[in-house]
Amino acid sequence: MREIILLKLGEVVLKGLNRHSFEETLLQNIRRRLAGLGEFDVRELQSTIYVTPRGGEDLFEAQERLKKVFGIASLTRARETEKNMDAILEAAAEYLRPQLSAARTFKVESKRSDKKFPLNSPQICAKAGDYLLGRFPNLRVNVVEPDYTVRIEVRDRAAYVHGNALRGAGGMPVGTSGKAAVLISGGIDSPVAAWMTARRGAELVAVHFASPPYTSERAEQKVKDLLAKVGTYAGRVVMFTVPFAHVQEQILQNCPEDLFTVLMRRMMMRCAEAIARREGCGALVTGESLGQVASQTMEAIACTDAVAGMPVFRPLIGMDKVDIVALANRIDTYELSIQPYEDCCTIFTPKHPRTRPALESMEKAERPLDCAALAADCVARAKRTLISPLE
C-alpha cells in the first residue's frame, strides 16, 4: 500500500475546549507549507495528522518542510497497510528492509488504537519480533538499546509501519497567539528571539532600522536573508525597514554621548510600537539578554521600556551567548549573522556608555529632541517588504 507521513501533535493536545481551533490552524499551516509540492490529503485523527500524497509527490521534501512547522512534536514516513497481521508483517519486512539489514539489534514497539483488533500490543510485538528474526538472520533482540526500533500502529482506518521518528519543531502553531513585532538587526540574537516568539504561536512582524549612508544595502539584504531563514519555521514575515540615520544624528548632536545607545533604543521603541499598533500586534520583541552589553542592564532596560505602551518580550533574557549561538546554529542563522555588514546599532557607539542610567536623566537628555515628530517621520517613511521563504 501507499507511503504517507505521520505527524504527532505536541503541546496542542493539552488544550481544552479550544483545542479544535489550534488544530485547525495547524492544519492550515501544514497545507500552506506543502503548497507547490503537489496534492496532499491532510487530516487529523486521534492526535495524529496524516499527510497522504495523491500522486508522485516528493515525500522527502515534504518531510523536510514539515520538520519546521511549529506545533508538530515528531514526524515519520510510514507504510500504510491492511489491518491483518500477515499484511503488517510483510509490510514491516519490505518497507524497513534497508534499515533492518544494516542493524545488529532491534526491538518492536506497538500501539493498538483499534481495540477490535484481535491481538493486543504485546502480542503484536511478539509476533512481529519472531517474524523479523526469521527474515533477517543478522538481527538480535535488544529491548534496552537497540540499533533500530520497528514501530507498528494499528489505528481505526489502517495499520502503519515505520521506524524511528524525527524530531519536530515543537511549540504552538503560528497564528494561535496573535501578532508580535520583533525589532531585528543583523546580529546573532534578534533572529533567535524572533524564532522563539514564533515557536510560541505568534505571527511575526519585523521592524529593522537602517541608517544609510552609514549602513549599506547589503546589511539590509542580510536581514532579509535572516528573516527568510526564520520564515522557514514562522511562515511569511512582513518586514518594515525604518530609515533611522536622521534620528541618530539628532541624538549625537543634541544629547550626552554616554547616553546615546539607550536614547537610541528608546526612539526605536517608539517607532516599533507605532508600527506594531498599526499592524495589529499585541507586543514588541527584542533580542536582549540581561547584562550582555551596556544597554542591557536592568536600569537601561527599564529606561527603554518606559516609553513603551505595550508589553515587551525578551525571550533571550536569561540565556548566555553560548546557548544563543547554539540555537542560532540549529535554526541556520548563525553563519548569516556573522557576515561583516554593520547595522545601525554598531555606529556612533559611545566609548564609555553609562551602564546604570536613571530614567530622570534620560528624560532630561531627550528634551532638545522632538521625539514624537521624529518617530512619526520614521514610521511614515518605513518601507514594507513581504518575506516569503518558500518563493
Side-chain angles (χ1 to χ4, degrees):
M1 295 180 71
R2 58 192 172 182
E3 185 180 23
I4 70 170
I5 302 176
L6 297 178
L7 312 176
K8 305 296 185 179
L9 300 185
E11 194 176 337
V12 170
V13 301
L14 303 177
K15 298 300 175 183
L17 296 177
N18 61 346
R19 173 174 166 175
H20 178 71
S21 65
F22 285 84
E23 291 174 342
E24 282 300 312
T25 299
L26 178 55
L27 291 174
Q28 291 171 11
N29 291 347
I30 289 170
R31 293 185 182 108
R32 276 196 290 265
R33 199 61 60 88
L34 294 175
L37 287 182
E39 296 294 326
F40 292 87
D41 289 321
V42 181
R43 61 182 175 86
E44 188 274 335
L45 186 66
Q46 298 175 317
S47 299
T48 299
I49 294 176
Y50 301 78
V51 177
T52 306
R54 294 182 182 177
E57 287 77 12
D58 185 347
L59 282 186
F60 177 79
E61 177 60 25
Q63 177 180 271
E64 291 302 299
R65 292 190 183 186
L66 293 172
K67 281 165 58 177
K68 298 180 179 181
V69 175
F70 290 129
I72 298 172
S74 64
L75 67 159
T76 183
R77 289 163 66 171
R79 171 64 57 83
E80 183 183 75
T81 187
E82 297 175 9
K83 288 196 298 182
N84 68 72
M85 280 308 300
D86 289 341
I88 291 170
L89 296 176
E90 184 62 24
E94 294 305 318
Y95 184 59
L96 303 176
R97 178 176 295 280
Q99 295 87 347
L100 293 173
S101 297
R104 291 181 299 174
T105 61
F106 83 114
K107 72 173 179 177
V108 180
E109 293 182 353
S110 175
K111 180 177 181 180
R112 185 189 63 155
S113 300
D114 180 4
K115 302 307 179 185
K116 296 179 181 179
F117 192 75
L119 302 181
N120 61 28
S121 292
Q123 290 170 333
I124 294 171
C125 291
K127 197 170 185 66
D130 287 342
Y131 179 82
L132 294 173
L133 283 172
R135 291 286 297 268
F136 297 90
N138 56 297
L139 289 177
R140 295 291 181 271
V141 173
N142 184 337
V143 297
V144 179
E145 293 184 349
D147 294 336
Y148 193 73
T149 301
V150 175
R151 291 177 168 85
I152 299 171
E153 301 185 37
V154 181
R155 294 182 169 269
D156 288 349
R157 297 188 180 185
Y160 303 90
V161 174
H162 59 88
N164 299 325
L166 299 173
R167 178 184 178 183
M172 299 297 296
V174 172
T176 58
S177 298
K179 282 185 176 182
V182 56
L183 284 74
I184 188 158
S185 68
I188 297 170
D189 301 339
S190 55
V192 175
W195 182 90
M196 293 179 70
T197 303
R199 193 170 188 258
R200 298 309 306 158
E203 183 180 345
L204 299 180
V205 172
V207 182
H208 173 63
F209 294 87
S211 297
Y214 307 106
T215 58
S216 68
E217 290 184 5
R218 297 184 74 176
E220 183 180 343
Q221 183 59 49
K222 172 184 171 181
V223 174
K224 293 178 181 178
D225 293 341
L226 285 167
L227 287 173
K229 292 285 188 181
V230 174
T232 61
Y233 294 88
R236 291 184 175 185
V237 179
V238 176
M239 171 182 168
F240 289 91
T241 304
V242 179
F244 204 60
H246 179 61
V247 173
Q248 292 178 292
E249 290 169 345
Q250 288 293 306
I251 296 172
L252 192 66
Q253 293 167 13
N254 295 285
C255 304
E257 181 190 11
D258 61 340
L259 297 178
F260 175 85
T261 303
V262 179
L263 290 171
M264 178 184 69
R265 297 289 296 176
R266 282 164 63 89
M267 285 302 303
M268 287 179 171
M269 284 291 184
R270 292 183 175 100
C271 297
E273 182 176 351
I275 292 172
R277 291 192 181 280
R278 189 180 67 193
E279 295 297 308
C281 299
L284 301 174
V285 179
T286 78
E288 292 163 306
S289 173
L290 185 62
Q292 185 170 224
V293 295
S295 64
Q296 296 175 17
T297 63
M298 285 190 183
E299 294 83 356
I301 289 173
C303 289
T304 301
D305 283 3
V307 300
M310 61 170 55
V312 182
F313 297 156
R314 293 179 170 87
L316 312 185
I317 195 67
M319 298 176 67
D320 63 31
K321 201 67 176 184
V322 173
D323 296 330
I324 298 169
V325 167
L327 189 46
N329 275 308
R330 175 184 161 190
I331 65 176
D332 198 26
T333 58
Y334 178 74
E335 293 299 328
L336 276 173
S337 291
I338 62 174
Q339 289 179 358
Y341 305 125
E342 287 192 333
D343 59 48
C344 74
C345 296
T346 60
I347 60 175
F348 306 132
T349 303
K351 293 182 179 179
H352 303 289
R354 197 180 306 182
T355 58
R356 302 185 184 279
L359 181 58
E360 296 78 9
S361 65
M362 284 291 160
E363 293 172 341
K364 180 180 179 181
E366 283 179 340
R367 286 173 189 165
L369 306 175
D370 188 343
C371 295
L374 286 170
D377 177 64
C378 286
V379 172
R381 294 190 293 123
K383 178 180 65 177
R384 183 183 188 275
T385 307
L386 180 62
I387 309 296
S388 300
L390 298 181
E391 292 181 2

